[in-house]
Structures are given as structure tokens and as C-alpha cells.
Amino acid sequence: MAQLWGGRFTKETDQLVYNFNASITFDQKFFKQDIEGSIAHATMLGKTGIITEEESDQIVTGLKSIFSDVIDGKLEISTKYEDIHSFVEANLIDRIGDTGKKLHTGRSRNDQVALDMKLYTRDEILVLKGLLITLMETIHKMMKENTETYMPGFTHLQKAQPVTFAHHIGAYMEMFKRDFSRLEDIYKRMNLCPLGAGALAGTTYPLDRELTASLLNFDGPTLNSMDSVSDRDYIIELLSALSTISMHLSRFSEEIIIWNSNEYRFIELDDSYSTGSSIMPQKKNPDIAELVRGKTGRVYASLISILTTMKGIPLAYNKDMQEDKELTFDAIDTVKGCISLFTGMIATMKINAENMKVSAMNGFTNATDAADYLVKKGVPFRDAHGIIGKLVLYCIDNDKAIDDLSIEEFKEICDVFDEDIYEAISLETCVGKRNTIGAPGPEAMKQVIEINEEYLNNLQ
């Protein structure tokens, strides 16, 4: 059992206790960040004269050789070490001798692990942002191609008013833009360096914390050593943001599952993103959409877990905080996978524009426009609402769409109707005249698409 502590103890830790306490099985995930942080720390120790420049250079060279050997497969990260920090330091000492023992000068595992977790989280936020950009670019392309693809808009899963497919998926574009913004906010707020906080009360060594922060591309050092080692707010914020991303993906997946059903047939998923049935040969199942929807609960669980862990912890560091690692790693990996697969799924799915249009025409989605038509002819809105209600009832009893009625049938219900009713309630008119910003009309959509184009260009 390779440990960095032991002088205080007179007998070996029980193996079960050691295994329960050890973290290398999962914290090896930030091996790169541990090396990166140690190089910065050793560099600072040399610059400040706490150790000699020669010792600093020797340590940095040794750390880089460990990194290269692990990457090349020459050195295996072993579970005989308690954690990734023990692995790195022990191998450093093996390579460069007693000089390696000076690496930990002015540093505790508490501020070291706080740094590693911040560096890892920061790196992963950049990856997540990149995946969201690709997703948004995919949605943007689909919006530009479907500004005249008419479909029913829904409330309560009931057909409500006609929109376009571009307008409908544009709602998700706005959601993912907010998700991207949340990740940017988290990155900015967390970007202070905890290294140098020590166990909880700093150190008597004349560390240059500003230099360390600069070497690691932080905006500066953290300002309270107790908060530095016990802060997991950025993890909670990230898991909250990941939960929101998952929720948005899940909502979109739910719609794709509905649209892909035989009853709707609005879209058809590509074979590469579908599966079949072991017994029913006709089946083509939307498994990826269902899995994305299902994995949302897994991400939520990570958020609830860390909130529950942190709620009763007094200052400063407590071992409970080790529980932040596995659940954060899992949530990040889950969401990265979901975004990637979801993007591929929607990029390859076929949009059945004619089925969408027919569904919009047969669902009385133009009933509101028919009422507006009467209002413009001088009928009070409340009366117009009642007249169109009777019209819809007549259509239901006679299995007709409003558009299918003859002018005589219109006039039987209200003699205000005239031949211009057909143009007034066509899908093109119903959608086309709604051009306030944010509406589905062509002028409004053109403006939004231009705004999104500029937004995406600025992210490059």
C-alpha cells in the first residue's frame, strides 16, 4: 500500500479500510491535470527560491517523463497506490531521488485535489461547449432548410396553431444557447486557483500564488484558504447545468419518439440510429432517443447526490468530498455521449414535410385564424370564438377539415363568411402573417436565423 503519510501510525491500515478510502480507481482520470498542476507548483517553488532552480528543473523533467511514459503505455497507473497524487509523487521519487520529495513543499493533498478537480472540470467544460456548438450548428442548418415546412404546433399535446418545423426546432436552439451561456458563466466563476491554500490555513512558505495561477491560466488565486479546499459550488453548478442540458435533450427526444411513431410519421430516423425487434420484424425503434431520455435521470441523480453530500459538511475539508469525483465524471461522460449521439441522430433523420402539412390541415390549427377573420369583419371576438366552436363541431360531425367546407356550409353557420375565408385560413397565410419577432412567419424567421448565424460565427 503506497501512501504519502504514515509517520503518525504504528501499524498498517486494514486492507478493507484502505480499499474503502482509496480513490485511484477513479481519480486517475485527472492524471493529466495532476501532472500539469505539479509542474506549475514546482516551477513556482524554483522561481521563489523555496527550492533551487536546478531542483525545480529536475522535478519538471521527471514529471514530464512520467506523463510521456503513461501516455505511451510504458508506465501503468497501479491500484497499489492510494490515489493519483501518490502514484505521481512515488514514481517521481523513484526517478530523480530525494529531490522528488521536495515537490510537495508548501502543498497539501487538500489544495492539490481541489486544483486537479478544477482543472479537469474546466477542461471538460470546453469539450461540452464544443459539442453544444456542433449541435446548435446542426439545428441552425435544419432551421434554414425548413422555413416553409408547415406542421401543427401543440399545447397539451393537442393541435393548436400552425407553425413551421424551423420555428418548432428553433425553440430548442434557444434552450441550447442558454445552456452554452450557463457553461460560460460556470467557467468564469470557477476560474480561481486554490493551489497554495494548504490543508486549510495556507503555509509559512513564501509561495507566489499569483504566479501559480498565471501558469495554469487562472484569473487569479482564491482568497480564502478554507473555502479553497472545501468549495464544490462549481461542481454543483456544473451538474445543475448538465441536468438542464439533459432535460432539454430529453424533451426533444420525446418529440422525436412521438414524431417517429406510425400515428404521426413526421420524421423517419436513419437506420444507423435505430434498432429492430427480436420478434417483430416490422419494428424500427428510436432507441437512441429513448436512451437519451432515460439517461437524464442518471444525470439528475448525480446532482442530488452532491447536494446531499455537501449539505452537512462543516469547514474545511472532509473525506465526504471525495464522493464528488465519480458522480461528476459519470455525469460529464453521460452528457457528452448524449449530445454527440443526439446530434448525429437529428442530422441524419428524414423530415416528412407532406405528412406534417396534412396533419396541420386536419387538426383545426387554423381555427384561431378563422376567428380572427370574423373579428376583422366586425364580429366581437367572444361571438367569433363561439361561431368557430360551432364550425369545428360541424366539421367533426361531418369528418371534414375547415378548409374542406364549401362557402355555403360556412354561411350556414355565419353569413359574414365570404370567399376570402379560404385564403385567410390557409396554412401559408396563418403562418405567413405572424411576423413579430419570435413568431413563425417568414420575415420573423429570417431575422432570427440571421441572429443565430451571427451568434454561431462569434463562437468560433
Side-chain angles (χ1 to χ4, degrees), residues 13 25 94 102 122 152 157 312 334-335 342 353 384 400 423:
T13 305
T25 55
D94 286 345
K102 297 187 177 185
R122 199 175 65 174
L157 266 184
T334 297
V335 173
F342 187 89
K400 291 185 175 183
E423 182 182 355

Side-chain angles (χ1 to χ4, degrees), residues 96-365:
I96 68 172
D98 285 350
T99 300
K101 297 177 181 179
K102 297 187 177 185
L103 170 62
H104 209 56
T105 307
R107 186 174 72 170
S108 164
R109 272 198 304 182
N110 291 359
D111 60 341
Q112 186 179 1
V113 73
L115 173 70
D116 289 1
M117 194 61 180
K118 270 200 171 182
L119 290 173
Y120 179 84
T121 302
R122 199 175 65 174
D123 289 345
E124 290 300 306
I125 286 174
L126 294 178
V127 176
L128 286 160
K129 285 171 64 179
L131 291 171
L132 280 179
I133 289 173
T134 303
L135 173 56
M136 289 189 290
E137 287 173 340
T138 302
I139 295 173
H140 180 61
K141 180 175 182 290
M142 295 168 69
M143 288 175 67
K144 289 195 292 185
E145 294 171 351
N146 289 280
T147 56
E148 295 181 6
T149 304
Y150 300 104
M151 66 175 291
F154 296 83
T155 61
H156 309 279
L157 266 184
Q158 309 260 339
K159 293 176 184 177
Q161 291 177 289
V163 295
T164 64
F165 188 65
H167 187 248
H168 191 112
I169 62 174
Y172 290 103
M173 182 71 171
E174 297 304 313
M175 296 181 207
F176 293 125
K177 283 161 66 176
R178 292 193 295 271
D179 289 328
F180 189 90
S181 176
R182 271 184 278 271
L183 291 178
E184 288 192 308
D185 289 344
I186 294 166
Y187 190 102
K188 181 178 180 181
R189 197 159 30 251
M190 70 173 284
N191 203 36
L192 296 172
C193 183
L195 198 58
L200 80 159
T203 177
T204 57
Y205 294 100
L207 306 181
D208 187 343
R209 294 193 64 211
E210 285 77 10
L211 173 60
T212 309
S214 175
L215 290 171
L216 293 168
N217 295 315
F218 284 101
D219 294 331
T222 51
L223 300 182
N224 183 283
S225 56
M226 295 182 77
D227 179 61
S228 301
V229 298
S230 63
D231 168 36
R232 295 298 183 272
D233 287 3
Y234 65 98
I235 296 296
I236 293 169
E237 286 189 66
L238 177 61
L239 291 176
S240 177
L242 294 180
S243 295
T244 305
I245 292 170
S246 296
M247 178 266 291
H248 291 154
L249 289 172
S250 182
R251 293 182 71 183
F252 206 162
S253 293
E254 173 72 8
E255 300 215 82
I256 287 170
I257 291 163
I258 292 171
W259 294 343
N260 188 65
S261 67
N262 290 334
E263 285 70 22
Y264 280 83
R265 290 182 295 163
F266 282 5
I267 58 103
E268 181 181 348
L269 295 175
D270 190 80
D271 288 355
S272 60
Y273 288 90
S274 307
T275 63
S277 166
S278 63
I279 189 172
M280 295 168 284
Q282 82 281 10
K283 295 291 290 298
K284 186 176 179 181
N285 300 325
D287 280 17
I288 296 303
E290 291 172 352
L291 283 169
V292 169
R293 184 178 61 181
K295 288 182 181 294
T296 300
R298 182 176 182 144
V299 179
Y300 287 1
S302 294
L303 173 60
I304 297 302
S305 179
I306 189 63
L307 284 168
T308 305
T309 297
M310 294 301 298
K311 75 175 184 64
I313 298 181
L315 291 173
Y317 181 79
N318 294 266
K319 196 71 171 185
D320 316 43
M321 293 180 189
Q322 183 170 290
E323 288 298 300
D324 69 341
K325 309 291 180 300
E326 289 176 283
L327 56 89
T328 301
F329 298 156
D330 184 77
I332 289 171
D333 289 345
T334 297
V335 173
K336 286 195 302 187
C338 285
I339 297 173
S340 295
L341 285 167
F342 187 89
T343 301
M345 180 181 66
I346 64 171
T348 56
M349 72 183 185
K350 177 186 175 184
I351 298 162
N352 297 323
E354 188 58 32
N355 288 352
M356 290 183 176
K357 185 174 183 179
V358 169
S359 179
M361 292 174 67
N362 291 336
F364 307 113
T365 60

Side-chain angles (χ1 to χ4, degrees), residues 40-51 56 102-103 105-106 207:
H41 185 65
T43 301
M44 180 275 297
L45 292 176
K47 295 288 185 185
T48 55
I50 296 172
I51 62 176
S56 173
K102 297 187 177 185
L103 170 62
T105 307
L207 306 181

